[in-house]
Amino acid sequence: MAMLTKILIVEDEFLIAMEMEEIIRDLGHVCVGVADHLEGALAIANKEIDVALVDVNLADGATGPLIGEKFANEFGIDVVFITANPHQLGDGVKGTLGAVEKPIDLAVLSEVLDYVLTAKRGEASVVPPRQFKLFGSN
């Protein structure tokens, strides 16, 4: 049996977080939690989490990039930023994969997760969805 993919959502807009959680479940993955600020996100983080979907601007300010960097570099979590403000990420955040601009729909989120999980398994020749802005090798 395939391992379930564990996904953490870091999003301060309740309705968006709920919608993303529903999409994740519909795609057959597990949502391990939702956090809306730095402290809450770090409290949930662990090495068992496969992917984190992180907004840039959260309840405690623009802490998303710091959360993403900590997730990627301290826990080995694949981080995708989902934000209305991708320009705030500049050329990217060390260790993280890339960004998708909000609003994000079911099809795009599904494609991004497929891409991330396929790449994680080491399968080459995977083309990222056009809406997914990959960061350079950082």
Side-chain angles (χ1 to χ4, degrees), residues 16-128:
I16 292 173
M18 275 183 38
E19 187 176 331
M20 286 171 52
E21 192 173 358
E22 192 175 311
I23 291 169
I24 288 166
R25 285 201 185 105
D26 288 349
L27 294 172
H29 306 301
V30 176
C31 179
V32 295
V34 178
D36 67 356
H37 61 296
L38 176 67
E39 196 175 309
L42 294 179
I44 299 171
N46 64 65
K47 294 187 183 309
E48 301 293 310
I49 295 170
D50 300 299
V51 179
L53 304 174
V54 181
D55 192 4
V56 170
N57 296 301
L58 299 163
D60 56 353
T63 56
L66 176 60
I67 292 168
E69 190 171 342
K70 283 186 172 291
F71 279 4
N73 300 305
E74 293 176 25
F75 298 96
I77 298 170
D78 286 334
V79 176
V80 174
F81 291 99
I82 298 187
T83 177
N85 306 291
H87 61 275
Q88 283 184 270
L89 297 166
D91 293 330
V93 175
K94 185 179 182 314
T96 64
L97 300 177
V100 181
E101 192 164 353
K102 281 185 196 170
I104 185 169
D105 65 30
L106 169 68
V108 173
L109 184 54
S110 176
E111 288 173 25
V112 168
L113 288 172
D114 282 349
Y115 170 78
V116 169
L117 298 173
T118 304
K120 190 181 189 84
R121 290 191 298 265
E123 296 174 23
S125 76
V126 185
V127 178

